Amino acid sequence: MIFGDRVIAFKKLGKLFLDFNNNNLFIDATERAELNNTWFTKRSIEYAFSSLGEMLKSDFLKKWVQSYEIKNECKRIGVIVPSNIPLVGFYDFLCVLLSGNIFVGKLSSSNDVMLPFLSDILCKINPKFKSFIFFEKEMKNIDLLIATGNDNTADIFNFSYINYNKIIRRNRTSVAILDGLETNHEYKKLAYDIHMYFGLGCRSVSKLFIPRSFD
């Protein structure tokens, strides 16, 4: 599968994201995901769809991928997907497949609806993806590993996969820096950044830096 075909497929998927309210398949998947994990509320899933749909718009996607050299080495990339926010593994899914590699996903029991659903949609858009997407219970026969978790699970990943080249993501904190001149609108946007996904994502702001004289 050539690079251009992969880009076109994800562009089409992005259009479906932006029109999810008019697609019964997406509505059904949203309901199943919420039943499977009550942190994944309908509103948060819909926000994830909208955000990813904007990200996959043609102009942005084209500029983004052009900044990398795609080698098409077709390695098997194992991805251990967390379960803290809706569609949390999609970015790794996108990167692995756009770069011409094989996605081997390991899902938690509380986040095993959305990525398989989206992979089915992607395979309907371009059936060649069936040879590039796998979901497995154990990470075996992989060339590289990407795993996301807290500091404790990161240590476990490093020990369990000591012989693999890997990217292990640990705890991280997003911050906001205020100077005291913010408008009410900006404070509302900050509150949105703090509370989105119940603050369970690393991109949810959880630390504020303010001036000493701040009210």
Side-chain angles (χ1 to χ4, degrees):
M1 181 165 41
I2 64 173
F3 174 70
D5 290 342
R6 298 194 295 269
V7 173
I8 290 171
F10 273 101
K11 287 179 183 178
K12 291 181 179 179
L13 183 62
K15 290 181 180 179
L16 293 176
F17 281 161
L18 294 176
D19 194 40
F20 64 87
N21 276 325
N22 297 315
N23 190 315
N24 289 332
L25 292 176
F26 277 74
I27 294 172
D28 176 68
T30 297
E31 292 175 351
R32 289 189 289 113
E34 186 174 12
L35 287 173
N36 189 49
N37 186 334
T38 51
W39 289 108
F40 296 177
T41 63
K42 179 175 181 290
R43 178 170 176 264
S44 66
I45 296 172
E46 291 176 348
Y47 179 79
F49 279 146
S50 298
S51 299
L52 292 174
E54 291 294 328
M55 185 183 78
L56 293 175
K57 280 187 175 179
S58 57
D59 291 342
F60 176 85
L61 195 61
K62 184 177 180 180
K63 291 179 181 178
W64 177 57
V65 296
Q66 285 179 341
S67 64
Y68 294 92
E69 179 184 355
I70 306 299
K71 296 184 178 181
N72 290 321
E73 294 178 334
C74 204
K75 293 182 180 293
R76 283 174 57 88
I77 312 297
V79 179
I80 300 177
V81 182
S83 57
N84 54 332
I85 62 176
L87 298 173
V88 62
F90 182 82
Y91 186 74
D92 290 332
F93 179 78
L94 170 70
C95 291
V96 169
L97 295 176
L98 273 189
S99 59
N101 292 293
I102 297 171
F103 177 89
V104 183
K106 181 180 179 182
L107 307 176
S108 72
S109 59
S110 57
N111 186 18
D112 61 0
V113 174
M114 276 302 176
L115 273 186
F117 164 71
L118 295 179
S119 71
D120 287 343
I121 297 292
L122 197 62
C123 289
K124 290 179 181 176
I125 295 173
N126 189 331
K128 292 181 180 179
F129 273 115
K130 292 179 181 179
S131 300
F132 289 84
I133 304 172
F134 300 91
F135 294 97
E136 300 178 359
K137 293 183 178 180
E138 298 294 333
M139 289 283 103
K140 296 180 179 179
N141 301 319
I142 60 172
D143 299 299
L144 301 165
L145 176 72
I146 301 173
T148 304
N150 57 35
D151 288 344
N152 291 332
T153 55
D155 291 337
I156 295 173
F157 293 148
N158 276 315
F159 177 78
S160 300
Y161 301 97
I162 191 171
N163 295 322
Y164 290 93
N165 291 323
K166 50 191 171 295
I167 297 172
I168 305 294
R169 303 190 185 103
R170 295 174 172 267
N171 284 346
R172 58 185 66 187
T173 299
S174 292
V175 304
I177 302 174
L178 309 182
D179 62 12
L181 301 177
E182 289 77 20
T183 65
N184 284 336
H185 175 71
E186 289 170 326
Y187 285 133
K188 289 180 180 179
K189 298 291 285 185
L190 172 60
Y192 195 75
D193 287 339
I194 291 172
H195 295 293
M196 176 50 60
Y197 304 126
F198 304 102
L200 293 175
C202 63
R203 293 184 183 275
S204 294
V205 172
S206 55
K207 182 181 286 290
L208 303 180
F209 288 96
I210 60 177
R212 292 183 182 277
S213 59
F214 190 84
D215 185 348

